[in-house]
């Protein structure tokens, strides 16, 4: 019998488990990041950061129900210097992904310039899909995004991946993939939360979060069909050497399997991590391991991307 191996590799970045945390959830402060370092998460992703620290939006700004979550956090973070100093001093074997979300191209330049001196980063996850700040999600503007990425890749030569928002139309997937295929991307992460949802408290007849008139990004179980579809479409249309990190709706080992079957090389857990805490990684690793054993697979690569369609009639 072959050993069962739940590790993965993102262009040479070795993850002891293909399951890690999603940016935004319990990865903002020193103690949260230390907790992740002690956990069985396969890697560590930091809260998206800006140049200066931010307190974020007024509370309540996060709400969870049985099948999903809504948030409009407003990018609370401790600022780039904190994350770089903390990671520089840290002592961990886990790959470190620094998520950045400057509010302008110039701010991202500055963050990238500072980050380029770090010896500890495995890669940057450039977040171009925050639904709660500013007017528009940059990735939804196909004219602006090309120019933006030209400039980013011109100045930053170290490993960099991009966190994408969800897309819903085949023409949009094709267009976005054709743009992304021009760049030396280290990975793409699919997907950020579904933007501009509303959740209602029927007793009070109100929205459930305070910022943005109650509009916020939707995550959790209910977005899984969309994350799977985004992974599948980008797996089909992106260059084969661009790995995909799946994110959205993972709460069991089966969900991890589905993401990988669609083409993900690794996955990130957001809402379920928030809901269950740090032990979620032990549970998911175990459930995923047990599923591979039952299915007689010995590694992620045995079934990655191998989702079957019905035959054409
Ligand atoms: C926030 C939410 C996001 O989905 C994101 O990608 C970045 C920041 C926030 O509101 O803090």
């Amino acid at each position: 019998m072959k050993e069962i191996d739940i590790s993965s590799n993102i262009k040479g970045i070795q993850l002891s488990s293909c399951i890690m945390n999603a940016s935004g959830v319990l990865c903002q402060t020193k103690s949260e990041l230390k907790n992740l370092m002690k956990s069985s998460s396969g890697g560590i992703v930091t809260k998206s950061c800006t140049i200066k620290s931010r307190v974020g939006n007024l509370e309540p700004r996060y709400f969870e129900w049985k099948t999903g979550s809504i948030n409009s956090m407003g990018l609370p973070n401790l600022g780039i210097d904190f994350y770089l100093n903390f990671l520089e001093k840290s002592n961990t074997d886990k790959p470190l992904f620094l998520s950045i979300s400057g509010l302008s191209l110039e701010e991202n330049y500055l963050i990238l310039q500072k980050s380029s001196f770090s010896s500890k980063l495995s890669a940057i996850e450039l977040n171009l899909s925050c639904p709660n700040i500013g007017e528009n999600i940059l990735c939804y503007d196909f004219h602006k995004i090309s120019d933006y990425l030209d400039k980013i890749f011109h100045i930053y030569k170290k490993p960099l991946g991009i966190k994408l928002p969800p897309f819903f139309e085949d023409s949009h997937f094709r267009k976005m993939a054709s743009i992304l295929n021009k760049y030396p991307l280290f990975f793409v992460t699919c997907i950020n939360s579904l933007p501009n949802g509303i959740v209602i408290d029927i007793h009070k007849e109100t929205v459930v979060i305070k910022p943005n008139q109650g509009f916020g990004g939707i995550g959790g179980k209910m977005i899984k069909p969309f994350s799977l579809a985004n992974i599948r479409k980008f797996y089909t249309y992106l260059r084969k050497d661009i790995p995909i990190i799946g994110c959205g709706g993972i709460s069991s080992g089966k969900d991890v399997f589905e993401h990988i079957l669609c083409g993900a090389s690794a996955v990130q857990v957001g809402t379920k991590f928030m809901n269950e805490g740090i032990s979620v990684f032990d549970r998911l690793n175990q459930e995923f391991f047990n599923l591979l054993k039952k299915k007689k697979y010995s590694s992620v690569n045995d079934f990655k991307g191998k989702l079957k369609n019905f035959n054409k009639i």
Side-chain angles (χ1 to χ4, degrees), residues 23-24 28 47-49 54 56-57 61 71-77 99-101 125 127-133 163-164 191-194 212 216-218:
S23 179
Q28 185 185 329
K47 169 70 185 169
S48 295
C49 73
R54 292 169 55 93
N57 291 337
R61 57 192 185 180
N71 86 82
S72 181
M73 306 299 286
L75 217 41
N77 77 90
S99 172
I100 73 166
S101 190
E125 185 181 77
N127 182 357
L128 297 180
S129 50
C130 171
N132 302 327
I133 303 277
K163 177 124 171 218
L164 297 175
I191 54 177
N192 207 320
S193 50
L194 269 68
N212 290 332
I218 306 292

Side-chain angles (χ1 to χ4, degrees), residues 34-298:
K34 279 188 174 167
N35 227 8
L36 273 165
M37 287 177 185
K38 287 185 280 177
S39 77
S40 57
S41 175
I44 297 174
V45 192
T46 60
K47 169 70 185 169
S48 295
C49 73
T50 45
I51 281 279
K52 292 203 177 128
S53 67
R54 292 169 55 93
V55 292
N57 291 337
L58 294 175
E59 294 180 343
R61 57 192 185 180
Y62 180 85
F63 178 86
E64 213 178 291
W65 68 103
K66 203 163 174 248
T67 53
S69 65
I70 182 166
N71 86 82
S72 181
M73 306 299 286
L75 217 41
N77 77 90
L78 301 178
I80 183 63
D81 290 339
F82 164 79
Y83 295 101
L84 288 175
N85 287 333
F86 176 77
L87 297 178
E88 211 57 39
K89 280 188 261 161
S90 70
N91 189 11
T92 176
D93 295 339
K94 295 186 197 298
L96 300 172
F97 297 85
L98 176 75
S99 172
I100 73 166
S101 190
L103 305 186
S104 64
L105 177 64
E106 291 67 32
E107 186 171 354
N108 276 329
Y109 274 172
L110 276 173
I111 297 173
L112 288 172
Q113 205 170 38
K114 284 172 177 268
S115 307
S116 64
F117 297 106
S118 170
S119 61
K120 290 286 178 73
L121 298 182
S122 301
I124 299 272
E125 185 181 77
L126 175 62
N127 182 357
L128 297 180
S129 50
C130 171
N132 302 327
I133 303 277
E135 314 246 290
N136 290 311
I137 292 174
L138 184 70
C139 277
Y140 286 156
D141 189 328
F142 295 124
H143 296 290
K144 282 198 193 138
I145 189 74
S146 230
D147 191 45
Y148 200 97
L149 292 179
D150 277 349
K151 291 179 170 141
I152 292 283
F153 282 100
H154 187 70
I155 65 132
Y156 194 74
K157 305 291 181 191
K158 292 173 93 175
L160 183 143
I162 293 183
K163 177 124 171 218
L164 297 175
F167 294 93
F168 303 95
E169 278 205 42
D170 191 58
S171 63
H172 294 170
F173 286 112
R174 285 175 187 272
K175 181 72 195 161
M176 193 64 206
S178 75
I179 293 169
L180 295 173
N181 281 337
K182 294 190 292 181
Y183 301 99
L185 274 173
F186 229 68
F187 60 88
V188 299
T189 304
C190 296
I191 54 177
N192 207 320
S193 50
L194 269 68
N196 285 315
I198 282 191
V199 176
I200 291 174
D201 179 329
I202 192 145
H203 299 295
K204 296 190 210 149
E205 302 180 11
T206 62
V207 294
V208 296
I209 55 170
K210 185 164 183 164
N212 290 332
Q213 289 90 43
F215 290 92
I218 306 292
K221 271 181 194 287
M222 64 179 299
I223 75 163
K224 192 179 71 172
F226 300 100
S227 53
L228 294 177
N230 275 259
I231 295 162
R232 193 70 187 151
K233 289 283 193 187
F234 281 112
Y235 186 75
T236 309
Y237 296 140
L238 283 178
R239 284 196 334 257
K240 286 293 164 257
D241 67 308
I242 304 178
I244 297 168
I245 300 177
C247 183
I250 289 192
S251 56
S252 72
K254 279 186 193 165
D255 299 325
V256 177
F257 187 87
E258 291 180 9
H259 274 234
I260 293 169
L261 198 62
C262 283
S265 295
V267 301
Q268 297 177 344
V269 187
T271 299
K272 199 65 197 169
F273 175 29
M274 186 72 177
N275 162 275
E276 194 171 320
I278 202 78
S279 63
V280 75
F281 298 106
D282 283 342
R283 179 177 65 77
L284 292 175
N285 284 339
Q286 193 63 56
E287 286 180 11
F288 183 56
F289 181 97
N290 293 345
L291 185 59
L292 295 204
K293 190 169 179 183
K294 195 168 130 203
K295 283 179 163 287
K296 298 194 165 45
Y297 285 127
S298 57

